Amino acid sequence: MADPALLERTNKLLDSGYKKLSGFESPKKGYEWFGGDPGHEALTAYGLLEFADMKDVYGTVDTAMLARTGAWLKSRRDGNGGYLRDAKALDSFGRASPEVTDAYITWALVSAGETGLDKEIGKSAKLAESSADAYQLALATGTLLERGAGASVPSKAALAAAAKLAALQDSNGAWSRADHSITR
C-alpha cells in the first residue's frame, strides 16, 4: 500500500509542475522558453511528449491544450515531410540539423497520437533507409514502431529500421555513431 503522505506530496508536485509547464504556451500557440511568440517547434514537440506522458499519471492534463499543441505543430509542416522552424533559439536546443529536428517532431507527434502525418512519416521511413546516424535512425524507428503500435505485427519498414539500429549498437551497449541529438 502506498504511503498517503507520499501520494499527497507527489500529486502536489505534479500539479505545480503542470501549471508551470503549461504557462509557457505562446499567445499564438506552441511553446517557447519564456512564453514569447512564435512558439519554438522542437521545444513544443518536447512539451507535447511531456504532456502526453503526464496524461497517464496526472488526470487533469487539458485535452484541448494537447489538441491545440498538436495542431500548431502540424500547422508548421513545410509540405515536403518536414517542418518550418523559427530562426531564434535560446541555446543549441534550437540548432539541431533539419534532419534531426524533422524526425524529432514527427516522432513526438506520432507518439502523442496525432494522425494525418503520412508525408512526414514517409520522410522518416526514407531516413530510416538512408541514414547511418544512430540518433536519426532511432527517431525514425520510433516513429515507424509507434505508427503501427496497434498492429499485431510491426510493418516491414519498422522491423528493418529496428534491425538496422540494433546493428549500429556498439559491443558495450552504446550507440556512438551519431552526430548530434535534438539538444545537440
Side-chain angles (χ1 to χ4, degrees):
M1 180 178 216
D3 177 4
L6 179 61
L7 288 175
E8 182 179 345
R9 181 173 185 271
T10 301
N11 286 329
K12 283 181 181 178
L13 289 171
L14 278 170
D15 189 56
S16 173
Y18 172 76
K19 287 175 182 168
K20 285 178 185 174
L21 289 173
S22 62
F24 289 99
E25 187 173 18
S26 297
K28 295 178 185 170
K29 306 311 164 215
Y31 283 81
E32 203 269 339
W33 285 273
F34 302 104
D37 260 341
H40 183 280
E41 295 78 10
L43 185 64
T44 299
Y46 183 81
L48 181 63
L49 284 169
E50 282 191 51
F51 291 128
D53 284 347
M54 190 182 281
K55 178 178 64 172
D56 294 335
V57 295
Y58 180 72
T60 57
V61 171
D62 182 357
T63 56
M65 177 272 298
L66 282 172
R68 247 186 346 261
T69 302
W72 184 82
L73 276 172
K74 289 166 76 174
S75 79
R76 302 296 297 154
R77 293 181 287 187
D78 65 9
N80 298 312
Y83 302 86
L84 303 170
R85 282 177 291 286
D86 190 280
K88 74 174 183 292
L90 181 64
D91 57 19
S92 59
F93 186 86
R95 305 220 191 275
S97 70
E99 296 81 12
V100 167
T101 304
D102 290 346
Y104 182 82
I105 294 171
T106 298
W107 171 68
L109 285 165
V110 171
S111 294
E114 291 290 330
T115 59
L117 296 160
D118 292 340
K119 192 173 276 192
E120 293 74 21
I121 293 167
K123 186 173 181 180
S124 285
K126 287 179 185 169
L127 181 65
E129 292 173 359
S130 65
S131 183
D133 183 290
Y135 186 76
Q136 292 178 30
L137 182 56
L139 291 171
T141 301
T143 294
L144 296 173
L145 289 170
E146 279 289 338
R147 182 181 195 208
S152 59
V153 177
S155 71
K156 288 182 182 180
L159 291 173
K164 184 176 177 182
L165 181 60
L168 290 177
Q169 190 173 21
D170 297 338
S171 61
N172 67 358
W175 278 274
S176 59
R177 289 171 257 175
D179 183 58
H180 67 277
S181 71
I182 192 67
T183 59
R184 297 239 10 119

